[in-house]
């Protein structure tokens, strides 16, 4: 039985959940690199959670199967397979290295088409954020100044391709900026 399409989730305030907002223009902060940020996906009840995550280049992604099924997954960057992995039940999380900067689609390869997730692999994960269930996000560890934000959302419905919307902002010292992204509908 096919599960409903979970690719587009809209919160009660109209915000879009599980979109990634990287700050493309933010410089590295401080001289000490941050600890590696490990992305983790769990499979439970024939679903991969979270739907979207941010991982750090040269770190790794963990995959954990909580179902009593055996799954086979592949991660693709565009049309290139980056890794494949069989996930049996009852083993500790399996780790795969993140040797690719960009967007990876992680999907089941044995017939569960709805079982997919997206991993946004970046150099500095403190400058990329996943929107919450209400569509909101906070720019933590981003210095004041002019910045370029690029909201990315996975393909959904009739649109059939990922969406990227760019906004330029000026973040004042100790201040706050409200940014509104509007995603196109099919045909735009």
């Amino acid at each position: 039985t096919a599960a409903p399409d979970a690719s587009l989730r809209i919160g009660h305030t109209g915000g879009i959940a599980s979109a990634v907002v990287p700050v493309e223009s933010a410089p590295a902060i401080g001289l000490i690199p941050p600890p590696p940020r490990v992305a983790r996906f769990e499979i439970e009840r024939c679903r991969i959670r979270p739907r979207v995550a941010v991982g750090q280049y040269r770190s790794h992604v963990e995959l954990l199967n909580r179902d009593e099924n055996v799954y086979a997954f592949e991660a693709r960057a565009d049309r290139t397979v980056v890794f494949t992995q069989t996930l049996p039940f009852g083993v500790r999380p399996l780790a795969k290295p993140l040797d690719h900067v960009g967007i990876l689609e992680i999907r089941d390869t044995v017939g569960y088409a709805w079982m997919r997730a997206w991993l946004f692999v970046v150099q500095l994960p403190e400058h990329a954020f996943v929107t919450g269930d209400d569509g909101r996000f906070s720019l933590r560890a981003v210095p004041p100044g002019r910045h370029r934000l690029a909201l990315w959302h996975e393909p959904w419905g009739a649109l059939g391709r990922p969406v990227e919307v760019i906004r330029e902002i000026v973040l004042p010292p100790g201040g706050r900026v409200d940014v509104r992204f509007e995603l196109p509908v099919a045909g735009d």
Side-chain angles (χ1 to χ4, degrees):
T1 306
D5 184 1
S7 58
L8 182 61
R9 293 184 310 128
I10 299 175
H12 69 280
T13 60
I16 297 176
S18 298
V20 178
V21 182
V23 182
E24 295 182 341
S25 58
I29 299 172
L31 301 175
I32 301 171
R37 182 166 164 185
V38 175
R40 182 179 176 124
F41 291 98
E42 295 186 8
I43 293 86
E44 190 169 22
R45 296 187 184 124
C46 291
R47 294 245 186 244
I48 304 174
R49 290 196 171 80
R51 181 74 177 195
V52 177
V54 173
Q56 184 174 358
Y57 177 62
R58 300 269 188 229
S59 178
H60 66 274
V61 58
E62 292 181 346
L63 304 165
L64 176 64
N65 180 6
R66 296 191 181 279
D67 280 351
E68 293 184 9
N69 299 326
V70 175
Y71 296 107
F73 288 94
E74 68 180 13
R76 289 180 171 261
D78 294 317
R79 293 187 169 103
T80 303
V81 175
V82 176
F83 68 80
T84 60
Q85 182 65 57
T86 301
L87 281 177
F89 171 70
V91 298
R92 57 178 204 242
L94 299 171
K96 300 300 278 186
L98 296 176
D99 297 330
H100 172 86
V101 172
I103 302 163
L104 296 179
E105 178 185 11
I106 300 171
R107 62 181 177 174
D108 177 77
T109 60
V110 293
Y112 301 105
W114 65 89
M115 288 184 67
R116 65 182 185 170
W118 302 87
L119 180 57
F120 209 91
V121 183
V122 295
Q123 294 276 355
L124 297 169
E126 66 271 19
H127 294 163
F129 310 92
V130 178
T131 59
D133 288 339
D134 60 358
R136 295 180 185 271
F137 64 95
S138 295
L139 300 177
R140 298 174 305 276
V142 176
R146 184 174 299 279
H147 298 289
R148 179 182 160 126
L149 307 180
L151 180 129
W152 178 92
H153 193 281
E154 68 178 288
W156 78 86
L159 200 59
R161 61 177 163 64
V163 174
E164 188 173 53
V165 180
I166 308 294
R167 291 287 182 269
E168 300 280 338
I169 66 162
V170 176
L171 186 60
R176 170 189 160 136
V177 175
D178 290 325
V179 181
R180 182 176 182 89
F181 291 98
E182 293 188 16
L183 299 181
V185 295
D188 280 1

